[in-house]
Amino acid sequence: KLRILDTPAEERFDRITRIARRALKTPVALISFLDAERHWIKSRQGQIPETARDLSFCGHAILRAEPLIVRDALRDPRFSDNALVLSGPLLRFYAGIPVAAPDGSLVGTLCVMDTRPHDLVEADLALLKDLAGIVEHELCRPSASAASAG
């Protein structure tokens, strides 16, 4: 319904991931959306491959409305055998906030990742939640390309 999958990069989303990456001092920040089979990245700051949904941390994050924080993936039984942890890019830290569509369904995440373990302070989590709220707000607005076509 959102018609966001497979659309080109947009500054309105890239701005959010740039802020998240800088503010939380992580090498990677993403806005991603998930369908039945895949984890699709709308905005990417840093190097991380697109993955199948079953490998993605974000696929776990949208299963509940609360943030998913993985301080050290090697020590987390949900992720310790994940290919993204054991081979490139060797992820250790993940913090993801589920993103809801206007109808309330969870469709994606705003997340930050690192190759080393992290603790997340309450202020950082609050910032990520605020930024995820901005992503949700942007989903309600038409893209620049859709607005110019209509």
Side-chain angles (χ1 to χ4, degrees), residues 75-135:
R75 299 183 189 280
D76 189 310
R78 297 169 294 180
F79 302 104
S80 61
D81 63 350
N82 186 298
L84 298 173
V85 174
L86 297 176
S87 58
L90 300 174
L91 291 179
R92 293 296 178 269
F93 172 75
Y94 174 91
I97 309 297
V99 170
D103 69 2
S105 60
L106 299 178
V107 294
T109 64
L110 167 65
C111 67
V112 292
M113 297 179 233
D114 202 340
T115 56
R116 39 185 200 95
H118 276 259
D119 283 321
L120 196 65
V121 298
E122 197 60 40
D124 291 340
L125 183 57
L127 174 71
L128 270 179
K129 287 178 181 178
D130 286 345
L131 292 172
I134 296 169
V135 173

Side-chain angles (χ1 to χ4, degrees), residues 7 9-10 12 17 26 46 53 55 64-66 68 72 78-79 83 91 104 113 115-116 121 123 132 134 143 147 150:
T7 59
E10 295 179 65
R12 63 187 178 142
T17 52
T26 59
R53 181 181 171 138
L55 275 183
R64 56 194 194 138
E66 302 95 43
L68 174 63
D72 186 348
R78 297 169 294 180
F79 302 104
L91 291 179
M113 297 179 233
T115 56
R116 39 185 200 95
V121 298
I134 296 169
S143 70

Side-chain angles (χ1 to χ4, degrees), residues 10 12 137-147:
E10 295 179 65
R12 63 187 178 142
H137 176 76
E138 289 299 323
L139 288 176
C140 296
R141 297 180 46 216
S143 70
S145 59

